[in-house]
Amino acid sequence: MDYALLDWDNTLRQGYTLFSWIDYLIEVGTVGSVVREEIDYYIEEYLKDKISHDQLARDACDVFAKSIKGMKRSILEQQIKEYMREDKAKLYGFTQEIFDVLNENRILPIIVSGAPRDILDNYRIKFNIYKIYGFVAEEDNDRFSGKVLHNYGYNKNLKVEEICKEMGKKPKIAFGDSVSDFEMLSKAEKSIIVCENRKHPKFKADGTIEHNMSSVEVRRLLLQVLS
């Protein structure tokens, strides 16, 4: 069956899920503000071109994993439930339309992202997502170890190769926004850049979705690209 590969942050959702999640946890007192200070340092280094997008994705997840070391999973699960209304408000207006078009055309959506999988799992049923590969913090006896178990926000090409072998074909279409997605986009038959990141050399995609496009415009674009 045909399938699609989709990045999440800044592709289907405005901003980085992990950063918003950290801000929420600081607000409710679960983690200290020093976590955000460390994250901001890496963001500044990225904006100054001192580190790559891949490095930002890796380092940010490492910082977060260390910040929740020793915490019980049940505590974080409860706070995710309370946080989800805030997260859902950050989805782009055209996000539902993208999934609707994919599902109508029997194209299985597969997410490959550095966003926390525990949060992404809350969208699985809503968007009929086939598989989700996201950031997962390592656990030891129901407590977080302080280490990262999985992080698909960088070196995406490695996971994409695994998915292609598992599915027995290359993706029908892929969606992304940053240089970290370029390998994923290049593997697909068709590629869509969402509000192309002009900081990096342009990737020659089959279509571009700007953040101010309506759902009708996005549907028209996708149907044209898929035809």
Side-chain angles (χ1 to χ4, degrees):
M1 194 167 182
D2 288 332
Y3 67 99
L5 295 180
L6 304 98
D7 174 53
W8 188 264
D9 293 335
N10 294 306
T11 297
L12 300 171
R13 178 201 188 276
Q14 181 180 7
Y16 293 96
T17 307
L18 180 63
F19 299 168
S20 299
W21 175 222
I22 288 172
D23 287 342
Y24 175 83
L25 292 176
I26 291 172
E27 183 182 337
V28 298
T30 301
V31 300
S33 60
V34 67
V35 180
R36 184 68 212 207
E37 292 171 11
E38 290 185 57
I39 295 291
D40 285 344
Y41 167 77
Y42 290 118
I43 293 174
E44 289 176 13
E45 292 293 283
Y46 167 65
L47 294 175
K48 294 176 182 176
D49 288 325
K50 291 186 176 180
I51 65 173
S52 67
H53 190 276
D54 270 16
Q55 288 174 294
L56 173 63
R58 181 195 64 198
D59 294 340
C61 289
D62 287 345
V63 168
F64 177 73
K66 291 174 184 177
S67 75
I68 59 172
K69 182 178 181 180
M71 187 183 300
K72 286 187 176 181
R73 158 163 280 283
S74 56
I75 292 176
L76 220 59
E77 285 179 342
Q78 179 57 41
Q79 293 189 331
I80 287 175
K81 292 178 182 178
E82 297 166 359
Y83 163 76
M84 284 310 299
R85 178 180 295 181
E86 179 178 324
D87 194 79
K88 290 175 181 177
K90 293 185 179 295
L91 295 177
Y92 289 123
F94 52 72
T95 295
Q96 180 71 62
E97 200 68 39
I98 289 176
F99 284 106
D100 284 350
V101 171
L102 294 177
N103 285 307
E104 288 165 14
N105 285 273
R106 298 186 178 181
I107 300 173
L108 302 174
I110 298 177
I111 305 298
V112 183
S113 171
R117 195 184 69 192
D118 286 343
I119 291 175
L120 298 184
D121 278 339
N122 286 270
Y123 295 103
R124 189 184 295 271
I125 295 176
K126 175 180 175 62
F127 295 131
N128 194 29
I129 301 172
Y130 180 60
K131 287 187 178 180
I132 297 174
Y133 298 100
F135 158 57
V136 179
E138 184 184 73
E139 294 177 50
D140 184 14
N141 294 324
D142 196 40
R143 290 182 183 271
F144 294 104
S145 71
K147 299 179 181 179
V148 173
L149 181 62
H150 298 299
N151 182 358
Y152 299 108
Y154 69 100
N155 288 342
K156 288 189 178 183
N157 58 307
L158 301 179
K159 190 61 189 178
V160 170
E161 289 288 351
E162 290 181 19
I163 294 172
C164 289
K165 289 180 181 178
E166 180 183 331
M167 300 300 289
K169 59 168 70 173
K170 61 184 179 180
K172 181 71 174 178
I173 190 169
F175 298 75
D177 77 289
S178 75
V179 68
S180 293
D181 301 318
F182 286 179
E183 287 291 335
M184 180 174 78
L185 292 164
S186 65
K187 291 286 185 184
E189 292 181 16
K190 302 291 183 178
S191 56
I192 300 290
I193 289 284
V194 179
C195 196
E196 188 168 0
N197 190 337
R198 296 172 178 85
K199 180 180 176 182
H200 302 289
K202 291 185 177 181
F203 176 86
K204 190 175 181 180
D206 295 292
T208 299
I209 296 175
E210 297 290 347
H211 290 168
N212 60 357
M213 287 176 66
S214 68
S215 295
V216 172
E217 291 172 318
V218 169
R219 169 175 285 271
R220 186 183 302 121
L221 170 66
L222 295 183
L223 292 178
Q224 181 180 353
V225 169
L226 289 169
S227 64

